[in-house]
Amino acid sequence: MELNELYREVILDHNRHPRNFGRLDPADALANGHNPLCGDKLTVTLNLQGDVISDLKFDGNGCAISVASASLMTEAVKGRDRSSVSAMFDKVHALLTQADAPSTDLGKLAALSGVREFPARVKCASLCWHTLNAALANADAADAAAVSTE
Amino acid sequence: MNPVYDVQRIRADFPILQQQINGRPLAYLDNGASTQRPQAVLDAVNYYETHLHSNVHRGVHTLSQLATDAFEAARERVRRYINAASTHEIVFVRGTTEAINLVAQSWGRSTLQPGDEIVISALEHHANIVPWQMACAATGAQLRVAPIDDDGSLNFEQYLALLGPRTKLVAMTHVSNVMGTVLPVQQIVAAARERGILTLLDGAQAVAHEPVDVRAIDCDFYAFSSHKLYGPTGLGVLYGREALLQAMPPWQGGGDMIRTVSYQSSTWNDLPYKFEAGTPHISGAVGLAAAMDYLEALGLPQVAAHEAALLAQATAALSDIDGIQIQGSAAHKGGIVSFTLAGVHPHDLGTILDHEGVAIRAGHHCAMPLMDLLGLPATARASFGCYNTAAEVDQLVRAVVRAREVFC
């Protein structure tokens, strides 16, 4: 296990200069993610056009792996529809946890493959994806609430 | 007692330290989380398991008696180690956390009234916060927090100002697990005692690093863990003043803690068994006793001086690195140094240091309210033990410099 496998240049770059950092206001949905074990916190805000994530941002604080993963995620999912995002999460999850997982179609997200050699850090990389899922669920709930009040 | 502190000879007593991690010699600097076991402790546990084990306080057969003798000898060893008046005052529990929960549940729930107050410090570990929040929720009592100064020392005037007619207990750490502050426990206890207030000290970070005398401190309760004292995990000690323990109701029911049981009701065993329901961690107690023998043979004042030297070396060398900020600069500190490095999250620091063979803790150290107060999500923490060396502090410092190179 080599350090430069974990801290690849792409990871260091996205940690230093996170993309889509901040909050959308107004936003169609917001979710807070928290890893109570290490204290990492992040917030994902997003806007939807139909089924497509038209825009999203994240903020919060965490280690380089969690910040870079969130930054890479926002670039990867912007403009994608839900089913494609869900399929991508499955691939990222496999990449983070399975030794022989393919990194095809993942683009820059493939830089996260080194994380699997550091099991203690897998949760750092997946926090943003769980938070994105929670935001999408919140968007559904908000829709349901809006529908029910009409 | 050996006047020369021969750290290399001490290291040779700890098999786990003789290994490489990631191709580098292990520098184990996470003693605040847990300490390692000397061969003497491993041997004592192994001897007990191999030759003496049975259940305690139960049988008439030979092994039952031998096991009981070993367990009760361990209790006497603990009594001497902290200079308690009687073995009735030494309750074996699972750890510091359970010791504090015992007091919160037994004394707290039976004594606290709505409007009563418990005073803790801003430095506390979750184990000395949450049990009191639970006791307060059950009784209507209130938790008050004595603030700290910027250097991590207790603000004594504000502590005194919090002590009032409704204060029933002061529960404080002896040594902060985050900032390393050694609290002035004798003065803290004396101020409480003058006002008729009981005191509990969380000694988890103290007992293996300086001599502790509960009668000199004059506290009512003192809690600590075996595994932070070079002994086995899963065991801790609650010291409690006998008259208080006598008056407190049991908190867990079961075998060993009773005198008589009928289907209708039960009566309680004598101290300390009233608080030891179920089969205890017998081999753990045997191991803890061996650890106490080991530490006293080294000499706790000598251990304290050795760790103070490591702390001074680490503090000076880390301070020289650009971007390092040390959290906690109280005049009296134990061998704990928490720090942050600008531009490098503590978890990344922890991973890079591990790669260099250096084991430290990175995170909130089970002290989230303190981290909020410091405005930090996490810190890196190096904590020293009797076997650490100046060379390991150098290894730590080199690894931190390396982390800076990766990120900055």
Side-chain angles (χ1 to χ4, degrees), chain A residues 128-147:
Chain A
C128 58
W129 288 91
H130 291 292
T131 311
L132 173 63
N133 272 352
L136 288 169
N138 287 345
D140 295 341
D143 266 1
V147 168

Side-chain angles (χ1 to χ4, degrees), chain A residues 12-29:
Chain A
L12 294 173
D13 173 45
H14 277 255
N15 175 50
R16 275 190 210 108
H17 310 289
R19 322 296 201 263
N20 300 305
F21 193 82
R23 285 191 193 205
L24 295 172
D25 186 17
D28 291 338

Side-chain angles (χ1 to χ4, degrees), chain B residues 107-119 132 135-137 139-144 162 164-169:
Chain B
W107 173 85
R109 280 177 175 250
S110 65
T111 308
L112 293 169
Q113 302 290 324
D116 283 350
E117 293 177 358
I118 294 167
V119 173
W132 304 118
C136 286
T139 61
Q142 306 282 321
L143 195 59
R144 307 289 299 271
L162 279 179
R166 300 310 304 266
T167 314
K168 291 292 180 287
L169 177 79

Side-chain angles (χ1 to χ4, degrees), chain B residues 234-301:
Chain B
L235 182 80
V237 171
L238 173 69
Y239 159 79
R241 224 183 263 280
E242 187 164 358
L244 284 167
L245 292 178
Q246 203 70 261
M248 284 159 52
W251 78 309
Q252 291 178 341
D256 235 21
M257 55 75 69
I258 44 77
R259 172 154 304 124
T260 63
V261 178
S262 71
Y263 287 120
Q264 287 73 38
S265 63
S266 305
T267 60
W268 313 139
N269 202 342
D270 294 331
L271 289 176
Y273 312 110
K274 182 173 77 174
F275 293 109
E276 293 181 357
T279 297
H281 188 0
I282 311 166
S283 66
V286 168
L288 174 61
M292 288 176 163
D293 286 343
Y294 182 84
L295 262 182
E296 285 195 346
L298 296 184
L300 276 151

Side-chain angles (χ1 to χ4, degrees), chain A residues 7 14 27 40 48 60 101-103 108 114 120 123 131 135:
Chain A
Y7 296 113
H14 277 255
D40 284 358
L48 289 166
S103 57
K108 279 199 235 168
K123 281 188 171 164
T131 311

Side-chain angles (χ1 to χ4, degrees), chain B residues 84-103:
Chain B
S86 158
T87 51
H88 297 167
E89 301 180 320
I90 305 298
V91 181
F92 283 121
V93 290
R94 280 190 302 146
T96 307
T97 298
E98 189 172 79
I100 298 172
N101 275 278
L102 190 164
V103 179

Side-chain angles (χ1 to χ4, degrees), chain A residues 1-4 6-7 12 15-16 34-41 61-65 118 121 124, chain B residues 22 343 345 347-352 354-356 361-364 368 372 377-378 402 405-408:
Chain A
M1 103 179 161
E2 281 305 317
L3 265 190
N4 54 14
L6 181 65
Y7 296 113
L12 294 173
N15 175 50
R16 275 190 210 108
H34 183 207
N35 183 346
L37 263 160
C38 59
D40 284 358
K41 284 180 181 167
N61 62 59
C63 63
I65 304 303
F118 297 79
R121 309 300 299 278
C124 309
Chain B
N22 295 319
H345 191 280
H347 293 139
D348 297 311
L349 203 49
T351 293
I352 294 171
D354 180 60
H355 196 74
E356 303 288 324
R361 174 84 185 267
H364 54 60
M368 287 188 194
D372 286 344
R402 167 98 182 87
E405 289 164 2
V406 171
F407 276 87
C408 305

